[in-house]
Amino acid sequence: MGAQKTVVRRGLAGGGVATLLLAVAFVVALGVGSPSTVGVVAWLVAVGAGMLAAGRRERVTIGSRTIGWPRVAAVTIAVLAVGWGVISAVSLLTGDGITGLGPLEAVLTVGIVAYFAWFAHECWVGGARIDEETFTVE
């Protein structure tokens, strides 16, 4: 495995573990009483599990299909981007946002969601700007 591929895969696995721990923290801190909390926890678990799978497995079998890790990563990161954007937009429309930074949170969200969208695209196409060897499936 190439050095760049190793960095990406370890980053996905580490991000997956961190996201799953964040989901656990939400459950411990807030419980699962409200539908919005259940939605956020389900989103975090889906993203965390997908990132962990992409970071640890070359291929993932879903039903009768086998999917390479770059495609799993692409879908997972796209789900992360959409969820982040929706949660941030809703919180900004109903108050001062999740962070309390107001308009600055909007700017940060646009930048972060754009970066995630770009990286999801890179994973899906197997490297438009990033070296193709990074996304090989052995």
Side-chain angles (χ1 to χ4, degrees):
M1 188 180 327
Q4 198 165 0
K5 180 178 176 180
T6 301
V7 168
V8 169
R9 299 282 307 277
R10 286 184 181 164
L12 286 166
V17 169
T19 304
L20 290 170
L21 289 173
L22 184 59
V24 170
F26 266 84
V27 170
V28 169
L30 303 175
V32 288
S34 73
S36 62
T37 302
V38 171
V40 169
V41 169
W43 167 67
L44 289 171
V45 168
V47 168
M51 289 175 71
L52 187 58
R56 302 295 297 160
R57 310 285 251 169
E58 281 294 315
R59 291 175 181 78
V60 176
T61 302
I62 301 172
S64 62
R65 296 191 56 144
T66 301
I67 303 167
W69 73 266
R71 294 281 169 104
V72 173
V75 170
T76 300
I77 293 180
V79 169
L80 175 64
V82 169
W84 189 309
V86 167
I87 290 169
S88 184
V90 167
S91 70
L92 283 167
L93 291 172
T94 60
D96 214 13
I98 295 170
T99 61
L101 297 174
L104 182 57
E105 181 177 333
V107 172
L108 291 170
T109 295
V110 167
I112 290 167
V113 168
Y115 172 75
F116 285 154
W118 170 80
F119 189 63
H121 177 263
E122 285 293 312
C123 291
W124 187 263
V125 299
R129 298 260 185 226
I130 298 174
D131 187 19
E132 286 178 9
E133 290 181 15
T134 304
F135 301 102
T136 58
V137 179
E138 297 170 10

